[in-house]
Amino acid sequence: MTADFSKGAAFSDGKFVPAGEAAISVLDWGFTRSDVTYDVVHVRDGAFFRLQDHLDRFERSLKGLRLSPPSSMAEIGEIAMRCVALSGLRDSYVAMICTRGRPRIFGSRRPQDCDNKLIVYAIPWIDVIPLDVQERGAHLHIASVPRIASASIDPTIKNYHWGDLTRGLFEAHDAGADTAVLLDAEGFVTEGPGFNVFIVKDGEVLTPDRGVLEGITRRSVLELCGMLGIPARIAPLTSDDLASADEMFCTTTAGGVMPVSRIGDHIMGNGRPGGVSLRLKSSYWKQHKAGWHQTPVDYSIKTT
Ligand code: PLP
């Protein structure tokens, strides 16, 4: 029987398998210690967006954690391409993951003794904030739980240390909000579960300068602001800035530019997405169609 890749394809232990069949050992330190890094790139209308930038960030994350996957960065790019081609997906969420793996010597506690493991998979498109919620503007809760300290877990290394973000999500849902934004222990705005945040204040676009993953979508928005002549800045932001924002939006690979209409008790734009946010959202997708940072998927490379 031929494998069914229509719900996604994965590369694991050197083989291409349907995404749902890819697995890691319960003894892998990626699982037992969250000793893992990853990156996510999207495919929209049959083309990768900023593939090389995602590979470059993944490489920096790997170096930061002293991880060495068994494939080169160029090979990882080809594997990602092949996963998408196998799945046939035109819109896809493509993850590359490297775990510490398991020690070669039974019982060793030395990370140096582990064989690092690479997993790549392509699954159907995901929106971190559902489309109907994006349409009305997401309601964000300002979480009481602080973001994990950057000095302990470097947020610029993409990671699965999501304990604080998950607590923030529970708080948000208990409060009737869609998702959360977390402050650091000093009260500065950081990010949310799976996205960077921006505010618009007096025509200027601002995004936090600390405690965040340097999102590729965040970078794209800053570049788009330059192209559109919208003033934009990376700056320290506090909850007072959120409470006085004219507009707010979130950014992520799995969703793009996602407008926010409420932050805590503060309702913006009569509870609808703001004009600058909508302009950036539309420009983001228009630029995709115009070929900006696109790498077309070669769907002919289907061999496993
Ligand atoms: N911040 C966190 C914690 C994330 O997990 C993500 C994406 O998953 C982002 C920000 C957005 O980054 P990017 O735009 O590169 O997807």
Side-chain angles (χ1 to χ4, degrees):
M1 208 176 72
T2 51
D4 177 10
F5 292 108
S6 62
K7 293 194 183 69
F11 176 85
S12 174
D13 292 325
K15 289 191 301 281
F16 289 92
V17 293
E21 290 176 19
I24 64 162
S25 164
V26 292
L27 304 179
D28 190 311
W29 289 12
F31 174 62
T32 58
R33 300 183 175 182
S34 200
D35 191 351
V36 51
T37 189
Y38 75 116
D39 217 290
V40 175
V41 53
H42 74 222
V43 166
R44 186 79 167 204
D45 288 335
F48 282 97
F49 181 58
R50 306 193 83 138
L51 177 58
Q52 193 56 50
D53 291 327
H54 283 279
L55 288 168
D56 290 347
R57 185 174 67 183
F58 188 45
E59 189 174 23
R60 286 196 299 278
S61 297
L62 291 166
K63 285 211 173 87
L65 296 185
R66 298 172 66 172
L67 285 162
S68 316
S71 306
S72 68
M73 294 316 295
E75 285 165 344
I76 294 171
E78 280 162 28
I79 292 167
M81 180 74 84
R82 198 162 284 223
C83 285
V84 181
L86 271 174
S87 72
L89 292 165
R90 304 282 303 167
D91 298 317
S92 178
Y93 173 108
V94 185
M96 46 195 101
I97 303 165
C98 185
T99 67
R100 184 70 63 195
R102 293 164 59 179
R104 284 178 296 280
I105 302 152
F106 180 77
S108 168
R109 311 287 288 177
R110 289 165 50 86
Q112 298 88 327
D113 290 342
C114 291
D115 289 320
N116 303 163
K117 181 178 162 78
L118 174 73
I119 303 160
V120 181
Y121 64 80
I123 54 173
W125 179 271
I126 293 168
D127 280 291
V128 161
I129 296 178
L131 284 179
D132 57 327
V133 174
Q134 289 188 41
E135 196 70 26
R136 68 139 155 80
H139 298 171
L140 258 63
H141 169 76
I142 303 174
S144 69
V145 50
R147 186 81 174 106
I148 196 167
S150 296
S152 303
I153 299 295
D154 181 349
T156 68
I157 297 177
K158 206 163 154 62
N159 64 75
Y160 290 139
H161 293 270
W162 267 51
D164 52 354
L165 298 172
T166 302
R167 281 175 66 191
L169 269 176
F170 270 113
E171 266 189 20
H173 298 156
D174 288 346
D178 300 305
T179 186
V181 59
L182 275 66
L183 310 178
D184 68 13
E186 282 76 47
F188 289 99
V189 180
T190 64
E191 57 190 346
F195 52 82
N196 290 113
V197 297
F198 285 75
I199 61 165
V200 184
K201 176 79 183 162
D202 300 328
E204 192 179 28
V205 170
L206 299 157
T207 191
D209 66 342
R210 65 193 70 190
V212 300
L213 177 71
E214 290 168 351
I216 304 285
T217 325
R218 173 176 177 263
R219 189 197 309 177
S220 301
V221 163
L222 293 170
E223 289 174 12
L224 286 172
C225 285
M227 289 152 69
L228 296 168
I230 301 171
R233 206 155 42 93
I234 297 173
L237 296 178
T238 64
S239 50
D240 287 346
D241 295 309
L242 299 180
S244 64
D246 301 325
E247 294 183 30
M248 186 170 179
F249 59 89
C250 308
T251 61
T252 187
T253 291
V257 178
M258 307 174 297
V260 172
S261 57
R262 276 190 207 184
I263 173 72
D265 295 335
H266 177 52
I267 300 176
M268 294 162 287
N270 287 326
R272 304 294 304 169
V276 176
S277 311
L278 289 176
R279 192 166 165 221
L280 286 166
K281 181 182 167 97
S282 118
S283 166
Y284 178 77
W285 293 119
K286 224 187 263 167
Q287 286 296 336
H288 273 64
K289 287 219 184 308
W292 195 48
H293 297 300
Q294 303 285 303
T295 306
V297 174
D298 178 357
Y299 286 95
S300 68
I301 48 158
K302 289 202 175 157
T303 49
T304 55

